[in-house]
Amino acid sequence: MKPLRRWLPDAESIRANRWLRWLGPALHHPRLWHLSRRGLALGMALGFFFGLLVPLAQIPLSAAAAVALRANVPAAVASTLVTNPLTFGPLYYAAWRLGSAVLGEPEPPPALVEAEVEPDADAGWWQQAVGRILGVGKPLLLGLALMATGVGITTYFVVSAVWRLNVLWKRRRRQR
């Protein structure tokens, strides 16, 4: 797990972050910075959960949840970067498709399919944009909630299993 430490932010950089200063003394608990199986798995699960579910303020929310649940704060903060400019579009499209499938709306709403050459005279561009966003709102929100929950739970168990396999592999190598 030593290679993982160089990718995670250190305690001082997180304590100095302007978005996380409000957590103050709560960030000084040593368990929040210790690299343990449970702490890392829970921190990454929280980071993926908030990274997928909440489009704004992902880092402060995941850090606050990590402090409250005594998870690894650097892992929670770093794993929120699952949504970035490269992955944002494909993840949100997949979430919309998932939500549409669950709700039984396999086709995109007509407001998204129709390419209007001439803008509607009755509605301004802002109203048209809001109408299009609201057309995908329910499936997108449901898909994001399902993806965030599923990916968060899966991340917890996968990280725990990989940690356990790493420990067993090191133990066997030492015994030889």
Side-chain angles (χ1 to χ4, degrees), residues 18-94:
R18 66 182 176 143
W19 297 103
L20 300 176
R21 272 190 226 130
W22 63 276
L23 290 171
L27 286 174
H28 294 289
H29 194 283
R31 188 169 178 186
L32 300 176
W33 308 101
H34 181 70
L35 205 55
S36 66
R37 180 190 55 82
R38 181 198 168 278
L40 180 67
L42 187 57
M44 289 185 70
L46 288 170
F48 281 131
F49 177 79
F50 284 107
L52 290 171
L53 185 64
V54 183
L56 299 172
Q58 302 165 335
I59 291 175
L61 289 174
S62 68
V67 168
L69 297 173
R70 297 285 190 231
N72 188 284
V73 173
V77 168
S79 58
T80 59
L81 300 177
V82 67
T83 51
N84 56 57
L86 295 175
T87 63
F88 185 80
L91 284 172
Y92 273 53
Y93 178 72

Side-chain angles (χ1 to χ4, degrees), residues 26-169:
L27 286 174
H28 294 289
H29 194 283
R31 188 169 178 186
L32 300 176
W33 308 101
H34 181 70
L35 205 55
S36 66
R37 180 190 55 82
R38 181 198 168 278
L40 180 67
L42 187 57
M44 289 185 70
L46 288 170
F48 281 131
F49 177 79
F50 284 107
L52 290 171
L53 185 64
V54 183
L56 299 172
Q58 302 165 335
I59 291 175
L61 289 174
S62 68
V67 168
L69 297 173
R70 297 285 190 231
N72 188 284
V73 173
V77 168
S79 58
T80 59
L81 300 177
V82 67
T83 51
N84 56 57
L86 295 175
T87 63
F88 185 80
L91 284 172
Y92 273 53
Y93 178 72
W96 174 77
R97 294 292 292 190
L98 176 64
S100 294
V102 169
L103 291 175
E105 302 172 6
E107 295 298 317
L112 291 178
V113 176
E114 297 171 0
E116 297 176 344
V117 178
E118 298 275 332
D120 188 8
D122 296 336
W125 68 271
W126 178 251
Q127 291 171 336
Q128 290 176 1
V130 169
R132 289 182 181 198
I133 290 170
L134 291 176
V136 297
K138 274 188 213 175
L140 179 63
L141 290 176
L142 178 63
L144 285 173
L146 292 173
M147 278 179 60
T149 303
V151 169
I153 291 170
T154 302
T155 299
Y156 181 84
F157 289 115
V158 167
V159 169
S160 293
V162 168
W163 185 286
R164 179 76 178 137
L165 290 173
N166 188 25
V167 168
L168 290 174
W169 182 71

